[in-house]
Amino acid sequence: MRYADIILPVPLQGTFTYAVPDGMAVQVGMRVLVGFGRSKTYIGIVDRMHDTTPQGYEVKDIQAVMDTLPVVNQAQLQLWHWISDYYLSPIGDVYKAALPAGLKAEDGYRPKTEVYIRLTEQYRHVTALHIALNVLSRAKKQLEAFTAYLELSGWDRVEDGVQPEEVTREELMNVSGASAETIKQLEKRQLLETYEVEVGRLNHGGEYHPELVKPLSAAQQEAYNAILMSMLKHRVTLLHGVTSSGKTEIYIQLIQRALERKEQVLFLMPEIALTVQMMQRLLRVFGNRLGIYHSRYSDAERVEIWQKQLSDNPYDIILGARSAVFLPFQRLGLIIIDEEHETSYKQQDPAPRYHARSAAIIMAQQTKGGNEPRVLLGTATPSMESYYNAKTGKYGLVELTERYQGIEMPEIQVVDTADLSRRKMMAGPFSPLLLTRVREALERGEQAILFQNRRGFAPMIECRQCGWVPHCQHCDVSLTLHRQMQQLTCHYCGYTYRVPTECPCCGSTDLRTRGYGTEKIEEQVHEVFPDARVARMDLDTTRTRNAYERIISDFSAGRTNILIGTQMISKGLDFDRVSVVGIIGCDSMLNFPDFRAYEHAFMMMSQVSGRAGRKNRRGLVILQTKNPQVPVVQQVVRNDYGALYRDLIAERQAFRYPPYYRLVYVFLKHRQDQTVQTAAIEMGARLRQLFADRVLGPDKPAVAKVKQQNIRKLMLKLELGIDMKRVRQCLLMVQQQMTADKRYSSLQVYYDVDPL
């Protein structure tokens, strides 16, 4: 008999062995249909073929083979196993994360459609539009939604023969705040109509134009040559280049070189928003040799890209976010990880909690013989670990200290908001200096970016009489007000609540908002600058796939002149007209209870500051803070990453943190708070018997209850060089001991290795 070890999409350790019926053609990497338990069936991936008969149970047969050729290659399976072992995650969870849903379902995949909206034919000319606006004059919500559609589609600026832009129904509702019922009323009036479009098409357009690769400046050429020299000695090279130094042009040169060598390139970016601009730049040069892959694309498209990468004519370049690391490659030669410091490369929930940067480096290191891929990490603000690896010789290091075309680094002016508040000089969240500089920029026809790393209207509402604050019923957090949607939302479980009209504790109607989110910033900007064209870019305004593209395109083209946003606007976006950047409040970042708080704050402030600056004018950054003397603020002002690194690396060594130690967080979850507390104390004691003082805790995390589950955390600080295989065995052994106890039968235990 032949047997196959199968990876199933279930959160259980290990693989499952099935018998291969006579005459069935099965290979490693193929999808097979198997029964599991009494009645379930799953699509599994063949991990290993062998002839060793399993003992102790009756082996089931594979029911059917889904493929004629493998859909997962040997290199991918090797990477899956590494992720499973290193991040202490069942390999079934890795499989679920890696494959598009359409490859995991018995009925394959169906093309996803999205509902779009447009004017009905009788209203597609100016005269009819005026009639429509008159008809809606007494229906305020419908008028707002209709006007928002005209602005989004560009009907207010469409010339003869120019087609309006397509608008999804979801985007219209998102931007206008209109309900589904309001849109239906506009359809009933026959002003708007809906139509469906299949979402997700492969990139078939555009020719390859190597002649469009721009020549490098002297500084860029020097860095490019240094990278090539470094790649002869190191698998991984760190390119530390200041913001706007032209790292992208160096990437393009390296990609061009890889294509000439018949190699494939994986280009990772941390945010989907960033792929919009980068995609446009790469498409101009590489045309249909470029494929795009990330989670906002439809499942149908991701399946098609996966299958194309297995074909005889794969994309030579894949540009994508975190999940692109799982795609099949046949001749991978170069991996570029842009903005390598970014925390969004780390998967948080659900498992596997992998870091795409680490996975990509391992993927390169696992390639043996022949062409061995090289990895380039690019950033203006390296992570502590990457910079340490570069300074100690594990990685190559190339520095690029000049901005492209001689653009100066921005001037950063620090504003003490605590002092201004005492003197009652703040206009809401804005200092007088920030308002003055934004106004001057608008008068010159320039643009401004306002950064506030908190979405929603306000972080909370509070009763002014008794201090009551609404909290989520399922999570241990206060609710965020989203005024446009007229609801309170939990940013952990997504549950929404009606905004109360009075305090349930004392009956007072004096409920006030506390703090500022991007939505409130936007409202106040409209009040201060009524003639400004304002856009907001955060999770709430970018829920649809094309929302990113529209916001970035409008700002790039000057159709909007103030952009308000969260951290997604801080990374790698290039806008020629931005002369002023306002950092509304950095104190929440500085005061966050985490050993990486200063590192992350420096990165975010430096990155958003880098958006300021034009070819003929030095950019200006207004950094508002209540703590202007904090060292990291002054390091941002001086753009002194070296000082930050020296300060933090000494602290990390003294207090046993990365890069000198490896961290593993052990999380325990249970519906009963007392049960999880008892379990955490007991598990901590068991782990201390094995790891001694390397174990800290248990304690409550900052958010100690999510979705009705109470949480405790244990921390392991492990010195470099410790046998991680043995560590994993010990952790899993203790976990099994805990869950074998009847008291803890419904206890959940999971791990976060190398947490951010």
Side-chain angles (χ1 to χ4, degrees):
M1 285 291 293
R2 287 191 308 149
Y3 298 95
D5 293 342
I6 310 293
I7 300 169
L8 296 180
V10 293
L12 300 172
Q13 296 292 340
T15 56
F16 301 86
T17 304
Y18 289 81
V20 181
D22 289 341
M24 182 178 280
V26 178
Q27 296 179 43
V28 170
M30 282 183 171
R31 295 175 303 152
V32 291
L33 181 68
V34 295
F36 188 75
R38 291 183 179 177
S39 58
K40 290 186 177 179
T41 58
Y42 287 113
I43 298 289
I45 298 288
V46 178
D47 183 49
R48 189 172 75 96
M49 302 290 296
H50 59 90
D51 55 9
T52 305
T53 305
Q55 302 299 316
Y57 63 93
E58 184 181 348
V59 183
K60 294 181 179 181
D61 283 355
I62 294 173
Q63 295 179 9
V65 181
M66 313 298 290
D67 306 300
T68 54
L69 292 171
V71 296
V72 179
N73 62 37
Q74 200 70 55
Q76 289 172 284
L77 288 172
Q78 200 176 354
L79 181 66
W80 289 14
H81 280 286
W82 178 84
I83 290 173
S84 173
D85 289 344
Y86 187 83
Y87 292 104
L88 293 158
S89 174
I91 197 164
D93 284 339
V94 182
Y95 163 39
K96 285 195 287 186
L99 251 68
L103 292 177
K104 293 177 291 198
E106 292 180 43
D107 54 352
Y109 68 95
R110 296 191 187 102
K112 181 183 175 185
T113 59
E114 201 160 17
V115 178
Y116 280 72
I117 205 145
R118 64 189 172 200
L119 290 174
T120 53
E121 194 167 343
Q122 62 264 39
Y123 287 101
R124 292 176 195 168
H125 54 85
V126 176
T127 307
L129 281 179
H130 285 301
I131 295 170
L133 292 169
N134 286 332
V135 166
L136 295 173
S137 59
R138 293 188 179 181
K140 185 183 175 187
K141 289 185 178 179
Q142 292 177 43
L143 180 61
E144 287 175 356
F146 190 72
T147 306
Y149 167 77
L150 296 180
E151 290 177 3
L152 285 171
S153 63
W155 267 102
D156 55 347
R157 56 182 182 273
V158 166
E159 300 167 5
D160 291 340
V162 179
Q163 291 299 310
E165 295 184 45
E166 291 189 305
V167 178
T168 66
R169 182 172 62 187
E170 187 177 355
E171 186 178 7
L172 176 58
M173 291 166 63
N174 198 16
V175 169
S176 67
S179 65
E181 184 57 36
T182 300
I183 305 299
K184 278 184 183 175
Q185 291 300 323
L186 289 169
E187 291 181 67
K188 283 182 181 177
R189 289 179 181 264
Q190 296 187 335
L191 298 172
L192 295 178
E193 63 185 11
T194 58
Y195 62 103
E196 289 192 358
V197 174
E198 184 181 321
V199 179
R201 300 176 183 86
L202 294 185
N203 170 25
H204 298 298
E207 294 298 317
Y208 174 40
H209 290 289
E211 71 279 2
L212 295 181
V213 177
K214 294 179 183 177
L216 301 177
S217 68
Q220 288 172 324
Q221 188 66 49
E222 189 177 333
Y224 174 79
N225 293 338
I227 290 167
L228 294 183
M229 291 299 293
S230 173
M231 285 179 170
L232 294 174
K233 304 175 189 174
H234 299 93
R235 276 288 182 95
V236 183
T237 298
L238 174 65
L239 172 59
H240 179 201
V242 297
T243 54
S244 299
S245 57
K247 292 187 288 293
T248 302
E249 297 307 326
I250 295 174
Y251 298 155
I252 289 173
Q253 291 275 357
L254 289 166
I255 293 170
Q256 171 67 10
R257 179 177 180 272
L259 297 190
E260 290 170 356
R261 292 157 58 97
K262 311 295 185 191
E263 296 172 347
Q264 288 178 297
V265 179
L266 171 60
F267 193 139
L268 291 179
M269 305 201 75
E271 289 276 1
I272 298 165
L274 292 183
T275 63
V276 175
Q277 279 196 335
M278 188 62 74
M279 175 186 68
Q280 292 166 351
R281 295 175 76 169
L282 295 181
L283 276 175
R284 279 196 293 271
V285 178
F286 300 110
N288 56 19
R289 300 184 76 168
L290 173 73
I292 318 294
Y293 190 86
H294 56 60
S295 59
R296 283 290 175 94
Y297 274 43
S298 73
D299 189 62
E301 183 169 40
R302 281 182 284 153
V303 171
E304 287 167 15
I305 291 176
W306 189 285
Q307 291 173 335
K308 183 171 173 64
Q309 292 310 94
L310 291 168
S311 74
D312 294 333
N313 183 33
Y315 285 120
D316 293 315
I317 310 155
I318 289 290
L319 172 66
R322 187 174 58 218
S323 57
V325 77
F326 289 116
L327 278 171
F329 290 91
Q330 301 176 37
R331 41 189 169 78
L332 185 63
L334 174 65
I335 302 173
I336 296 171
I337 305 176
D338 194 27
E339 311 290 355
E340 68 84 25
H341 64 278
E342 263 300 323
T343 57
S344 43
Y345 279 126
K346 180 80 191 299
Q347 164 78 5
Q348 297 299 335
D349 281 307
R353 294 168 181 83
Y354 70 99
H355 199 301
R357 180 186 63 209
S358 300
I361 290 170
I362 292 297
M363 183 164 61
Q365 291 173 348
Q366 285 178 339
T367 305
K368 303 296 182 187
N371 185 43
E372 298 178 351
R374 292 296 186 256
V375 180
L376 180 66
L377 311 177
T379 178
T381 54
S383 64
M384 287 285 125
E385 288 85 341
S386 293
Y387 201 65
Y388 175 81
N389 286 336
K391 296 296 278 187
T392 54
K394 184 178 180 181
Y395 297 169
L397 176 62
V398 176
E399 309 263 9
L400 183 56
T401 56
E402 288 182 24
R403 280 187 135 192
Y404 186 61
Q405 294 187 337
I407 300 171
E408 288 187 87
M409 293 297 291
E411 176 190 0
I412 302 178
Q413 296 184 11
V414 179
V415 174
D416 185 345
T417 54
D419 176 59
L420 290 174
S421 295
R422 279 193 298 271
R423 293 191 279 153
K424 296 190 168 37
M425 294 178 66
M426 292 289 290
F430 308 123
S431 64
L433 179 64
L434 178 58
L435 293 178
T436 300
R437 294 295 179 257
V438 171
R439 185 173 288 109
E440 290 171 354
L442 297 180
E443 288 170 353
R444 293 193 300 264
E446 295 166 353
Q447 294 173 306
I449 287 177
L450 299 178
F451 169 71
Q452 169 70 346
N453 200 31
R454 179 174 277 151
R455 65 187 174 101
F457 188 82
M460 65 179 72
I461 60 173
E462 179 184 54
C463 173
R464 292 296 292 270
Q465 295 296 319
C466 70
W468 172 81
V469 172
H471 278 72
C472 179
Q473 295 173 12
H474 312 291
C475 309
D476 185 22
V477 290
S478 59
L479 297 167
T480 300
L481 174 63
H482 291 256
R483 200 153 84 173
Q484 194 173 45
M485 295 181 283
Q486 277 303 303
Q487 62 191 22
L488 295 165
T489 302
C490 174
H491 286 177
Y492 283 83
C493 70
Y495 201 81
T496 57
Y497 299 81
R498 178 180 57 84
V499 179
T501 54
E502 62 179 42
C503 174
C505 290
C506 69
S508 170
T509 56
D510 190 6
L511 302 176
R512 306 277 183 91
T513 60
R514 280 184 56 190
Y516 296 90
T518 47
E519 193 181 333
K520 190 171 183 180
I521 299 290
E522 181 184 25
E523 180 183 274
Q524 300 209 347
V525 165
H526 279 299
E527 291 174 7
V528 179
F529 304 108
D531 297 329
R533 301 179 302 279
V534 183
R536 172 163 55 93
M537 191 167 169
D538 56 27
L539 190 61
D540 299 316
T541 62
T542 56
R543 293 190 186 279
T544 59
R545 170 179 162 178
N546 60 348
Y548 287 103
E549 297 177 24
R550 190 184 303 282
I551 293 168
I552 291 169
S553 173
D554 284 350
F555 196 65
S556 294
R559 289 191 286 271
T560 51
N561 47 23
I562 297 180
L563 179 61
I564 300 158
T566 54
Q567 61 179 337
M568 64 175 64
I569 66 169
S570 70
K571 309 156 188 168
L573 296 170
D574 291 322
F575 302 112
D576 290 337
R577 301 177 182 87
V578 174
S579 60
V580 178
V581 167
I583 300 175
I584 301 297
C586 63
D587 301 299
S588 60
M589 295 185 284
L590 295 172
N591 299 328
F592 195 73
D594 184 84
F595 76 95
R596 296 188 195 271
Y598 279 13
E599 177 185 359
H600 289 164
F602 179 92
M603 289 171 175
M604 214 169 291
M605 289 188 283
S606 295
Q607 291 286 341
V608 76
S609 297
R611 303 313 112 216
R614 303 179 61 206
K615 293 171 187 173
N616 303 315
R617 185 190 297 275
R618 188 183 186 194
L620 174 67
V621 178
I622 309 294
L623 197 165
Q624 298 186 166
T625 176
K626 295 176 182 174
N627 303 289
Q629 299 310 315
V630 172
V632 70
V633 171
Q634 299 306 315
Q635 288 157 357
V636 171
V637 171
R638 299 193 306 270
N639 191 38
D640 194 348
Y641 177 83
L644 175 87
Y645 176 77
R646 288 189 295 274
D647 285 355
L648 295 187
I649 208 73
E651 284 183 11
R652 302 282 179 88
Q653 188 169 23
F655 295 104
R656 297 194 303 167
Y657 280 107
Y660 296 99
Y661 284 76
R662 176 168 287 142
L663 299 185
V664 178
Y665 290 169
V666 184
F667 288 98
L668 297 89
K669 282 186 177 181
H670 198 276
R671 288 184 71 88
Q672 300 298 323
D673 189 66
Q674 186 56 51
T675 302
V676 77
Q677 175 68 9
T678 305
I681 292 170
E682 187 172 326
M683 190 168 184
R686 288 175 182 266
L687 290 174
R688 262 183 275 273
Q689 291 176 359
L690 298 167
F691 297 107
D693 66 349
R694 297 181 183 91
V695 182
L696 283 76
D699 67 353
K700 286 187 176 184
V703 178
K705 183 180 178 185
V706 173
K707 298 180 181 177
Q708 300 285 18
Q709 295 285 325
N710 295 280
I711 308 169
R712 295 295 185 275
K713 182 180 82 174
L714 293 155
M715 179 193 292
L716 270 68
K717 289 184 174 180
L718 305 169
E719 62 272 23
L720 300 183
I722 197 170
D723 183 350
M724 285 303 293
K725 185 176 181 180
R726 180 66 182 143
V727 169
R728 286 189 283 274
Q729 289 171 346
C730 290
L731 286 169
L732 294 174
M733 178 187 71
V734 171
Q735 179 183 344
Q736 287 167 357
Q737 291 171 353
M738 294 295 297
T739 52
D741 189 323
K742 288 183 179 179
R743 293 174 298 162
Y744 308 131
S745 58
S746 57
L747 179 73
Q748 295 178 47
V749 179
Y750 63 93
Y751 307 92
D752 190 358
V753 180
D754 300 340
L756 291 180

